[in-house]
Amino acid sequence: MTALKRIEREPLWDLAHTQLQDALLAGRFEPGTVLTLRSLAESFGTSITPVRDAVTRLVAQGVLQQGARNSAIVPHLSRRELEHLTVVRCALEGRAAREAASHRDEASLRRLRDRLTTMQSLIAARKLESYLEHHRKFHFGIYAMSGIPLLVETIENMWLRCGPVLSFVIPEYVVLLKGTDHHTAALKAIMAGDADGAEREIVADITEAAHYLSGLADATGQLRRPPG
Amino acid sequence: MTALKRIEREPLWDLAHTQLQDALLAGRFEPGTVLTLRSLAESFGTSITPVRDAVTRLVAQGVLQQGARNSAIVPHLSRRELEHLTVVRCALEGRAAREAASHRDEASLRRLRDRLTTMQSLIAARKLESYLEHHRKFHFGIYAMSGIPLLVETIENMWLRCGPVLSFVIPEYVVLLKGTDHHTAALKAIMAGDADGAEREIVADITEAAHYLSGLADATGQLRRPPG
DNA sequence: GTTTGATGTTTGTTACAACAAACATCGTCG
DNA sequence: CGACGATGTTTGTTGTAACAAACATCAAAC
């Protein structure tokens, strides 16, 4: 049981998979980009076999879209697809918030409170990068309290599908519209064991963000990154 | 645009993937079975590369569980996991039924009515195999009416996860407990545009089936196929 | 008789090469 | 000058082989 025994190399495809996921969530891939196996393999410094595994997984998860000739492309998100994503997210995350209110515990609540204050200071400092990271962890901190791993896993999948456009939010939106702070309200409801309130606030948070993103669509319905 | 041009061979991994999915849904794999690449490759008559792709996808979908040494095993379902599956399915399928009631159309409703009568005659004839098949198509006929492909796709994933135990239901359950026919009630609610009623009946259908399956658990909480 | 160590088997991982389909490029013919 | 066709390039697919980790088996030593 020595520490030496624990040095087990992670498979290469796992590394590629997580790196691709992180890149997607961080919005480092522009929608519409075609990912070729050989170019990815070169950038990872491996053969195409591990990256093929990773891409295969992402496609199976619905995170990457498979185009003609089974090529993998970073999906464009249309206004309609965003609507669909919003419906599913509301059903899933609303339910998770509801369960969280029923299964709350002291330690988790304290962590959420801390993260919330961190988020507010990051907003004030206009540090969008870090804010998005903490924002994600705040949401999933709530969902983890539901005690239903399957629910968390499914929600993660939905966030991955939103990945390419998550970074489309600009600081002004976060700063201005958050006068109606659904995050604080949701946490307060959960602390009070108010399942209805928790669901309502999370759903409102998702809906408002979706409404903002919907305004970024061009004439064809495709969501575009705002200038600046 | 001749028909000859349409003869494009499907990739081998796609064949393996769909065949494995069908086998799972039909309950041809006993929970706990370890699937080795080489044995699957031999049974498919291909090299291990295509079946590796297929298995990789199934694992990424959460349909197959990955055990030690990244081997793929047909997942056991515990009573707790069934509960979690039920929560997610109710949230998703309840929402889909609600949307279906809002987007109903004449042609789809007629197909559903036909399928319902087919199901009833299959019950009377004790043809469980065919019944399960039609039962699945009836449910997904409703979900497709929601007009939200993402929702349907996610629900399909949940059914795949239930796959290994779906065939655990025995004819007696289908025949006896269905005095409370939630299928008929759900369809009636959808035809009337009653979203609340549609969701209520679908949720009741899922919950009752889960309650029955829950009774099949052994001392360790694992679901077991009933004798006979 | 029990334990420990070596060895063989099983099985997933990775690289490489041959292949096929689709697309782009460019030259030739009308 | 334009259209058609040959050719090269790109890219995903599949098979094969070498490799490594884990497990099972068996024999020898205490």
Side-chain angles (χ1 to χ4, degrees):
Chain A
M1 209 54 58
T2 68
L4 291 178
K5 194 62 185 306
R6 290 290 318 132
I7 304 180
E8 290 161 6
R9 75 192 171 86
E10 194 178 9
L12 294 182
W13 57 259
D14 208 338
L15 277 171
H17 183 250
T18 52
Q19 288 195 36
L20 283 175
Q21 265 191 347
D22 290 347
L24 256 338
L25 275 181
R28 285 199 290 273
F29 285 136
E30 209 60 24
T33 307
V34 296
L35 300 177
T36 68
L37 297 184
R38 285 178 173 84
S39 62
L40 286 177
E42 189 179 16
S43 77
F44 285 131
T46 69
S47 150
I48 69 173
T49 313
V51 308
R52 177 178 164 79
D53 274 23
V55 169
T56 294
R57 285 178 175 235
L58 264 345
V59 172
Q61 289 177 286
V63 176
L64 290 182
Q65 196 174 24
Q66 82 168 47
R69 212 163 74 259
N70 285 320
S71 66
I73 68 183
V74 181
H76 266 293
L77 221 52
S78 68
R79 185 189 277 123
R80 171 171 298 270
E81 289 167 326
L82 179 66
E83 280 173 22
H84 295 174
L85 227 13
T86 304
V87 169
V88 177
R89 283 190 56 194
C90 285
L92 253 20
E93 299 176 42
R95 181 59 183 248
R98 175 177 291 276
E99 295 289 327
S102 309
H103 299 92
R104 66 193 189 281
D105 68 290
E106 213 39 65
S108 302
L109 288 177
R110 192 167 50 247
R111 272 197 300 275
L112 284 179
R113 257 171 53 99
D114 291 348
R115 203 175 297 280
L116 197 52
T117 61
T118 305
M119 284 165 60
Q120 287 163 342
S121 62
L122 286 172
I123 292 178
R126 299 288 196 283
K127 311 192 82 165
L128 186 62
E129 291 281 320
S130 304
Y131 173 76
L132 284 178
E133 172 81 6
H134 282 264
H135 170 257
R136 187 165 58 89
K137 288 184 180 171
F138 175 78
H139 271 266
F140 280 94
I142 293 178
Y143 307 147
M145 285 175 59
S146 71
I148 306 182
L150 173 65
L151 197 45
V152 179
E153 180 186 334
T154 310
I155 295 172
E156 274 176 352
N157 182 251
M158 296 305 143
W159 280 59
L160 246 7
R161 290 176 192 249
C162 301
V165 302
L166 277 184
S167 64
F168 283 9
V169 295
I170 54 178
E172 278 65 31
Y173 165 69
V174 179
V175 176
L176 296 179
L177 199 60
K178 289 298 173 175
T180 60
D181 190 350
H182 297 298
H183 293 151
T184 305
L187 181 52
K188 197 166 293 182
I190 291 173
M191 287 172 61
D194 174 15
D196 288 328
E199 174 170 5
R200 180 169 14 91
E201 294 299 331
I202 289 294
V203 166
D205 182 53
I206 297 171
T207 307
E208 283 189 10
H211 182 261
Y212 163 78
L213 283 174
S214 185
L216 298 178
D218 62 15
T220 69
Q222 300 295 324
L223 267 47
R224 297 284 173 195
R225 182 186 298 276
Chain B
M1 207 55 56
T2 69
L4 292 178
K5 194 62 186 308
R6 291 289 318 132
I7 305 179
E8 291 162 4
R9 75 191 170 86
E10 195 178 8
L12 294 183
W13 57 258
D14 209 338
L15 278 172
H17 182 250
T18 53
Q19 287 195 37
L20 284 175
Q21 265 192 347
D22 290 347
L24 257 336
L25 275 182
R28 284 199 292 272
F29 284 137
E30 209 61 23
T33 307
V34 295
L35 301 176
T36 67
L37 297 184
R38 285 178 174 83
S39 62
L40 286 177
E42 189 179 15
S43 77
F44 284 130
T46 69
S47 150
I48 68 173
T49 314
V51 306
R52 177 177 164 78
D53 273 24
V55 170
T56 294
R57 284 180 175 232
L58 265 343
V59 172
Q61 288 178 287
V63 175
L64 290 182
Q65 195 174 25
Q66 82 168 46
R69 213 162 75 258
N70 284 321
S71 67
I73 67 183
V74 181
H76 266 292
L77 222 51
S78 67
R79 186 189 276 121
R80 171 172 300 269
E81 288 166 327
L82 179 67
E83 280 174 22
H84 294 174
L85 227 13
T86 304
V87 169
V88 176
R89 283 189 56 192
C90 285
L92 253 20
E93 298 177 42
R95 182 58 184 247
R98 174 176 293 275
E99 296 288 328
S102 309
H103 299 92
R104 66 194 188 280
D105 67 290
E106 213 37 66
S108 302
L109 286 176
R110 193 167 48 249
R111 272 197 300 274
L112 284 179
R113 256 171 55 99
D114 291 348
R115 202 176 298 279
L116 197 52
T117 62
T118 306
M119 283 165 60
Q120 286 162 345
S121 63
L122 286 173
I123 291 178
R126 299 288 197 280
K127 311 192 81 166
L128 187 62
E129 292 279 322
S130 302
Y131 172 77
L132 284 178
E133 173 82 5
H134 282 264
H135 170 257
R136 188 165 57 89
K137 287 184 180 172
F138 175 78
H139 272 266
F140 280 94
I142 294 178
Y143 307 148
M145 285 176 59
S146 71
I148 307 183
L150 172 64
L151 196 45
V152 179
E153 180 186 335
T154 310
I155 294 172
E156 274 177 352
N157 182 251
M158 296 304 142
W159 280 58
L160 247 5
R161 290 177 192 247
C162 300
V165 302
L166 277 184
S167 64
F168 283 8
V169 296
I170 54 178
E172 278 65 32
Y173 165 70
V174 179
V175 176
L176 296 179
L177 199 60
K178 290 298 174 175
T180 59
D181 190 349
H182 297 297
H183 293 152
T184 305
L187 181 53
K188 197 166 294 184
I190 291 173
M191 287 173 60
D194 174 14
D196 288 330
E199 173 169 5
R200 179 169 15 91
E201 293 300 331
I202 289 294
V203 167
D205 182 53
I206 297 170
T207 307
E208 282 188 12
H211 182 259
Y212 163 77
L213 283 174
S214 185
L216 298 179
D218 63 13
T220 67
Q222 300 294 324
L223 266 49
R224 296 284 171 196
R225 182 186 299 276

